[in-house]
Amino acid sequence: MSNISRRDFLRVSTTAVAGALLAACGAPATEAPKVEPTAKPAEEKPAATATPKGPVRPVDAWPVGELPRNRTLIYYNNTPPNGNFALWGADPHQAGWAICQEPAAFYGVHGDKQYMWLAESYKYADDGKGLTVVFRKGIKWSDGTPFTANDVVWSMDTLKRVDGLQKAGNVKATVEKAEAVDDLTLKLTFNQVDWRFFFTSMTFRFDLGDNTLIQPKHYWSTVADDKLREDKFYDPAKGLPISTSPYGVGVSNEQYTNYDLRKSWWAVETGFVDKEPDVWRIQQQPFTNDTLAAQLLINKEIDHPLDLRPFVVASTLAQADHLSTWTGRKPPYGYVDWWPISVQFCTKKPPFDNPKVRWAVAYALNQQAIVDIGWSGAGTVAMSPFPAYPKLNALLDQIKDVTDKYNVLEFNLEKSAALMTEAGFTKDGEGFWVDKDGVRPDADVYAGVPLFGDIAPVVAEQLRQAGFYSQHKAPPDVWAAKVDGRASMFLFGHGGATIDPFDTLQLYQEANAAPMGEQSWGNITRWDDPEFAKARQEIKNTAPDDPKMVELFKKTMEIWYAALPDCPIVQWYHRIPVSNWYFTNWPDETNPYMNSALWHWTMLQVVLGLKATGNA
Amino acid sequence: MTLSYFVRRVFFLFLVVWTAATINFVLPHLAGRDPIKEQMLIQIASQGRTQADAEAMIRTYTRLFGLDRPLWEQYLTYIGNVMRLDFGYSINNYPRTVMDIIISRGRLTLPFVVVSIFISFTFGILLGAFLGWNRTPQWVSNLVVPPMLVLSSVPQFLVALVLIYFVAFRMRLLPMNGAYPRTMVEDWGSLTFWMGYAKHAILPILSMVLVDASGWALGMRAMMVTVEGEDYATFAEAKGLTTWRVFFRYLLRNALLPPLTGLAIRLGFIITGASLVESFFAYNGLGSTLGGAIGNFDYFLLYGIVTIMVMCIALATFVMDMIYPLLDPRISYKAQRG
Amino acid sequence: MTGFLSYIKRNPTLGIGLAMLVILVGFTTIGRLFINPDDAYRQTMYMNQPPSKEHPFGTDAQGRDLLTMMIMGTGMTLQVGAIAGGIGLGIGIVLGFVSGYYGGLLDTIITSAIDIYMTIPSFLILILIATTFKNINLGIIEMGVIVGIVSWAGSARAIRSQVLTMRERPFVMMAKLSGMGSMEIVMKELVPNLLPFLVMSLSQSVYGGIMSSLGLEAIGIGSRREPTMGMTLFYVNYYSAFLLGLWWWILEPVAVIVMTLTSFVLISMGLDEIANPRRRRSL
Amino acid sequence: MNQPLLEIKDLKTYFYVKAGTVKAVDGVTLNLDPGVKMGLVGESGSGKTTMALAVMRMIKPPGTIQGKISLNGVDLVTLSNEEMRKARLSQISMIPQGAMNSLNPVARIRNQILDGLEDHGVKLSKSEANDRLAQLLQIVELPTKVADMYPHELSGGMKQRVTVAIAISMGPKLIIADEPTSALDVVIQRQVMETITRLVRELNLSMILIGHDMGLMAQSVERLAVMYAGKLAETGGVKEMFADPLHPYTQKMISSLPVLGRRGVFEGIQGIPPSVINPPPGCLFAARCPKVIAGTCQEISPALREVRPGRWVSCHLYN
């Protein structure tokens, strides 16, 4: 039941992107298109709809009737949308119907691949205060209406015009004006310098971001502004939801939602993709618990669950040969997500307003033991707030002197005790730290249900061993506890950074560091440092590949580490056993064309990569 | 049946619903929570908004959900809405309404819960009556009662786990999950659909019945012993009546009355119990929705489900009140039940 | 003592129930002398170990020693039950006596309240309370108090009906005629005569309290740290112990739960024979 | 008068419980001639009711019945369960003790009367059934409309009349009335008792009347049997017994009555009746007996013997 809230916690973590500015790096991104397994240059083929290659689809009508199991991909997600594909009111993030959305581009970090998709190319204005995107020819909405740059303009205008819509932040903050130069060319004018807009707002990567979902103007312009939020965007008879995606929604109810291959898809018609996907139907079923998911995987009844606990993955793999994970059949069974976990402090609340106390906590934590006990060793520790991705690792390698000096991985109870004594604490009869009034400071570790169920108890116990009167807490209102500042310490992930540290640093926005008594949701740690803010601002104005970047990064991180608003513990892993029985070529560490989570925005790329085995 | 009895019971029915609705309304205010704000916080954080932007969004939704008006006005509107079965929107599933969710999931749960109650009650009552009967050899009781004692205190979800593991996962006799085959579309007019639904309901029903029937049986057994000590039981035997007539008409018939009064109240326990069982069978019904609403803290959905359940129970109690005097002539429609 | 023993001989149900309770209490109190309570919390690298010499009950997925957890948790679960049962019965006694003895308008009000309260499932109210109130530190005591507060209706109703029948008995009439005050009659005449019944109600309330707390904890509403039986079950479920084949981790809390609940059922049944002479099997 | 209607020989009803053997009825021998009304008296716990249940063969495990109970020459102890069931109501019937609770609270009087008939093979059409009901109710002086009422709508006396109607509905030869009026108030007691005695006389039934109201006995029965601690102390004609009680227990009992022959309830004798769980050897009355023969009474259990025609007594005084 509470796996849903696990998703909620995941989705929270992208706080970064709001006002990203300046970067001298328009160029690397535009060079990026590479040869991908599924996409081919458009010019090689004539636009042919009549003669599809490969197996002939047994359907003339759409939505389709019953289909063979070996052409149906069954995956677990949260409760299916139940005929509710509302875009503007509800948050479609991780709702499982990302398959119905196509972005300007996709990005897969593990293979460092960018897939230009609806967009063919983009170019930032020389001063960074504008962006021109050119879309492909021949793109059609599922109802046959041609897709044009006007659809994008309408989508962005709507986000700016109507209050309270989902995913409006970036556009509202940055876009001054969106206009269609011609049917295929979008010209954006920014009110500030922003070299990252295409990546943060038009590229699907992970489940991150404030992406603008490009919507059919011809449908939505018939809906009044104040009715936008309530529109469920679902009616199979009318072909809703309309999208450019190869999959439409067949049946959607309480028990499952079928995404069926449509009769035609612009990418095959134009030859951009050489053949139709092997997957004819994607069925989304509700995820309820790990045990059931594992048993269904073993019995080949589903192909892809949500991520599972390490013990469960190991046991599941041992019971079935047709299953594999990102790392094959070996630990850690998964890939690093963008969401490294920290013990985060409420830095405006005593005693954690004192950096010495925060460092005392850091020395009291034994990260490796957390991985070993919580995950039976199937994972890795985190020594920084950044996910262990190549470009970020490279950057961290260059500031080794800083990370060595401030080694959060060091487990040293003496140092911890010394710092606590310096901060004016003494131990009471039971061996717990007390302040000068003899009061044990509140050191409860708040952690969400049930995502941190395996590591939070370990963290709390380690703190107790070091004399902090701590206990793992997972109340239903854990979120409010953090935001209100009731929680002194809480486990949470952070980031958003994938190719450039800025998105993570952006979390510690001084504007969002509300004082105690106010709710603080942007910057939950409430940490605020003028020096840091200045340094971050400089990073904002610097391109990621600028040689200056390393120096700036070093300066920023030195401040961050000294203050330690949160103490990194572990990298976050998605451990997803997948079934190779009906479909193979799942992305994994040897073939990392995309991260394999189907509940992410990048779901379409994974599905396009799958190959049917024909097994009965 | 006198009119005043009927009126009194109807009044009581409304009193119960009103109380439950008021508790629902008062609790969050007592706790000083702002459901919209809390829920929006979670959603807003993923959008990377500025504080001002987020506040604007909260304002929009607060207005949408009507939380910006004075308290008494909110309360009156709320009670009015409850009476019209309108619980507003589910925060998590916006723009789906709470009632829409309750109806579409409830219709999957209802047959399965009703059948569970019916089977556990019938089976438990008969078994309990049989065990409590003085003609049943003592060894039968000695053999059956201890396992029942155990079963009645085992958590239902463990029974569900065991059943799933052996019957569905290992032996593959019955489906593991879902409310009906995923190749079917919900169609209550079709026999094939009913068959599929029934097949999927067997294990969930079984895991509830095993635990629940044991409880009924233990209670009924004690009632039987009491009834057997009554003079009319002795006299019935002295009348030379056939064994079965004594058993059904004189003993069981009388021992049945107290459990029957508990049947309506039991409805509530069953649905809450169903919430875990449903989630173990990935049965997307009302029970697991209740669980989800707790986990997600979807206030309006949570309170909507609670109110609807209380209404169902109150309604069931009302029906029982109407029927009960027919079953027990000592209770007349005129007298207040004590 | 011998009288007690010979009574137990005639009422084996009560005897077995009490014996089971004594075993449980002994397990948790005497057991504490042999273990280090910290082992119930301390995580080690010895995870998912089947029973062995070092860990006679095995360990759980966090490497905690299950023997210690069981010893500590049994006490905690009993404690929750005792607190909840005590509070529930306390409220029940006050309302039941007031309503049954004084009657009149007060009785009508209390009876209606009981009826309404019984119709609203207490488990739902529990969920509402536990999820609504901010920052409740759901420790053992808080859990007991919350569960106790919502579970008075059953005992209030039962006590009321007992008091009603008692009120008509000749000795109460006599007491009234001899000029005893209401409070005096309640304390000197009614309570002693209802004592077996009250003890039985207590046993039932404790049973109900444990049952409700288990229900809440099994869905994760409770103290995450304390190894109560409900929380242990929560983790059993969370770590998919069943799938992993960690039978000891499942069997132990279930055994304790079954034993605890069964003991209270048996005690209630046994006490019922004293409180309700009609139920005694006639010779 | 050669063949007794009911012949009880050495009847033992023992309950084997954990604490030991409860000898509720221990070696009772008794004859009852057709048309004779016999009173069965004794303190509470002396085994009167148990004996009545034993005669009806309604003793449940762990109780056992040994000995011989023959009714019209048929040994009831050896009958099959089904035969015994049929014998109840049609051969022997019972007027139960608790008038208030002896009727099934959830069934109409009509059904409670007809159930007995139906289960003894009497098939009646609706109008026949109505006639039969009216007739039976009339005999016990109840209005016909009672048939369609529920027990809780009747007074105690009316309920007891219904049980009487049920008891005679199959025309039995023997009626066992177990303190039939004990739960009623005095005026009603008398009316009901009059009805019962009238019916027994009119229908020429035999009756065993259990009770401890000696005055009632004096008025209603011809013979009297006194039970003490599961054993028969003395039997004989009621007048003889009152005039010349033989057994010391009977003597004490009769002398303790306030006014002989008038309404008076025998409340027992000083001292405690002995426990019938694992009783000691010897006469069980010995401890309370004023005429105890030291050495003998405590050692040897006195046998029941006929000391003069129709007078049986079990006491060492009359050896």
Side-chain angles (χ1 to χ4, degrees), chain A residues 101-325:
Chain A
Q101 296 293 332
E102 284 184 307
F106 292 96
Y107 179 71
V109 76
H110 298 95
D112 189 24
K113 285 180 185 161
Q114 185 182 40
Y115 303 79
M116 292 304 291
W117 208 250
L118 295 186
E120 207 167 42
S121 66
Y122 62 94
K123 194 172 186 325
Y124 285 98
D126 293 336
D127 59 355
K129 294 189 86 174
L131 173 70
T132 309
V133 182
V134 179
F135 292 92
R136 289 182 200 281
K137 269 201 274 287
I139 302 175
K140 276 187 196 155
W141 292 102
S142 50
D143 61 355
T145 312
F147 166 96
T148 71
N150 281 310
D151 289 311
V152 189
V153 171
W154 185 87
S155 300
M156 290 188 174
D157 282 351
T158 304
L159 290 176
K160 282 165 65 76
R161 183 179 69 244
V162 184
D163 260 346
L165 298 185
Q166 299 284 340
K167 299 199 167 293
N170 264 6
V171 173
K172 266 188 169 174
T174 312
V175 178
E176 176 82 32
K177 191 173 165 217
E179 55 193 320
V181 177
D182 56 48
D183 274 0
L184 298 180
T185 313
L186 169 77
K187 185 162 178 284
L188 297 175
T189 314
F190 300 148
N191 55 18
Q192 53 183 308
V193 177
D194 187 346
W195 297 103
R196 293 175 170 88
F197 190 85
F198 188 80
F199 188 73
T200 54
S201 296
M202 301 187 78
T203 304
F204 281 3
R205 78 265 183 226
F206 294 111
D207 48 346
L208 273 170
D210 213 1
N211 298 300
T212 302
L213 302 179
I214 302 169
Q215 289 306 306
K217 180 185 177 187
H218 62 281
Y219 172 80
W220 288 106
S221 54
T222 64
V223 179
D225 279 358
D226 59 343
K227 299 284 178 214
L228 282 179
R229 267 180 239 98
E230 289 159 41
D231 195 293
K232 292 186 186 172
F233 200 26
Y234 175 66
D235 187 350
K238 291 183 186 157
L240 297 180
I242 296 169
S243 71
T244 58
S245 147
Y247 295 93
V249 179
V251 179
S252 182
N253 59 35
E254 303 299 330
Q255 300 296 323
Y256 61 84
T257 292
N258 283 346
Y259 304 95
D260 290 342
L261 197 53
R262 295 201 196 259
K263 281 175 86 170
S264 63
W265 180 32
W266 66 267
V268 177
E269 283 176 0
T270 59
F272 169 61
V273 163
D274 66 346
K275 65 179 183 65
E276 284 171 337
D278 276 8
V279 179
W280 291 341
R281 163 173 293 164
I282 304 166
Q283 185 169 81
Q284 176 184 353
Q285 295 183 7
F287 179 92
T288 48
N289 73 77
D290 289 24
T291 309
L292 184 65
Q295 289 171 339
L296 289 167
L297 270 176
I298 293 168
N299 278 9
K300 297 167 190 155
E301 288 184 37
I302 61 170
D303 302 299
H304 183 109
L306 289 182
D307 47 350
L308 304 177
R309 315 248 68 76
F311 282 128
V312 176
V313 177
S315 163
T316 309
L317 288 175
Q319 293 180 55
D321 292 334
H322 62 273
L323 302 180
S324 67
T325 68

Side-chain angles (χ1 to χ4, degrees), chain C:
Chain C
M1 192 62 207
T2 41
F4 176 74
L5 280 180
S6 72
Y7 178 73
I8 291 298
K9 249 185 200 168
R10 273 181 290 140
N11 193 343
T13 320
L14 182 62
I16 297 172
L18 284 176
M20 286 168 81
L21 189 60
V22 167
I23 292 173
L24 285 168
V25 172
F27 174 66
T28 180
T29 49
I30 301 173
R32 257 169 234 237
L33 304 177
F34 297 95
I35 47 116
N36 176 1
D38 290 347
D39 287 347
Y41 308 102
R42 183 182 297 130
Q43 290 110 347
T44 62
M45 288 297 293
Y46 299 100
M47 291 161 282
N48 300 342
Q49 297 288 307
S52 65
K53 237 185 213 160
E54 294 81 48
H55 301 284
F57 277 34
T59 62
D60 75 355
Q62 287 171 26
R64 300 186 289 180
D65 178 52
L66 275 166
L67 174 64
T68 318
M69 287 172 69
M70 287 301 115
I71 289 175
M72 303 293 291
T74 304
M76 289 170 184
T77 297
L78 287 175
Q79 226 174 313
V80 171
I83 296 172
I87 293 177
L89 184 67
I91 304 177
I93 285 178
V94 172
L95 292 182
F97 273 99
V98 167
S99 164
Y101 190 81
Y102 293 100
L105 183 65
L106 214 52
D107 181 39
T108 315
I109 294 172
I110 293 177
T111 328
S112 317
I114 291 173
D115 278 351
I116 292 172
Y117 214 75
M118 295 271 279
T119 313
I120 305 173
S122 58
F123 192 72
L124 289 181
I125 302 179
L126 276 180
I127 287 178
L128 289 185
I129 292 181
T131 51
T132 300
F133 280 88
K134 278 184 181 182
N135 211 22
I136 277 188
N137 187 3
L138 276 175
I140 304 302
I141 293 169
E142 291 84 351
M143 195 68 166
V145 171
I146 290 186
V147 172
I149 286 174
V150 298
S151 55
W152 49 269
S155 47
R157 172 182 273 193
I159 290 167
R160 172 182 170 273
S161 65
Q162 288 289 319
V163 172
L164 272 184
T165 60
M166 253 328 148
R167 202 175 59 172
E168 305 306 326
R169 297 271 175 88
F171 62 83
V172 178
M173 288 298 179
M174 296 290 284
K176 259 187 199 164
L177 288 175
S178 70
M180 276 168 108
S182 304
M183 205 55 214
E184 210 178 341
I185 293 176
V186 167
M187 294 315 292
K188 286 198 177 151
E189 302 288 338
L190 293 183
V191 172
N193 276 290
L194 281 175
L195 207 58
F197 184 80
L198 293 181
V199 179
M200 183 189 79
S201 300
L202 178 66
S203 161
Q204 284 174 344
S205 301
V206 172
Y207 175 90
I210 293 178
M211 209 51 167
S212 304
S213 72
L214 285 179
L216 281 183
E217 286 169 353
I219 59 174
I221 303 175
S223 165
R224 291 291 164 124
R225 180 163 189 265
E226 303 299 345
T228 60
M229 291 304 119
M231 252 17 253
T232 309
L233 278 186
F234 170 78
Y235 280 117
V236 161
N237 177 21
Y238 177 75
Y239 283 100
S240 304
F242 195 84
L243 185 82
L244 304 182
L246 312 176
W247 52 268
W248 57 94
W249 191 12
I250 306 168
L251 278 187
E252 287 159 13
V254 169
V256 171
I257 289 169
V258 166
M259 215 166 136
T260 311
L261 293 180
T262 308
S263 79
F264 284 107
V265 170
L266 293 178
I267 290 173
S268 304
M269 279 162 68
L271 287 170
D272 197 26
E273 286 195 25
I274 306 176
N276 253 338
R278 249 205 338 209
R279 284 218 182 146
R280 285 178 208 165
R281 278 187 187 259
S282 51
L283 287 184

Side-chain angles (χ1 to χ4, degrees), chain A residues 11 82 167 254 256 477, chain B residues 33 47 104-105 184 284:
Chain A
R11 67 165 83 144
N82 313 325
K167 299 199 167 293
E254 303 299 330
Y256 61 84
D477 63 337
Chain B
R33 294 186 84 145
Q47 318 295 316
S104 53
R105 308 230 171 123
M184 288 184 184
N284 211 11

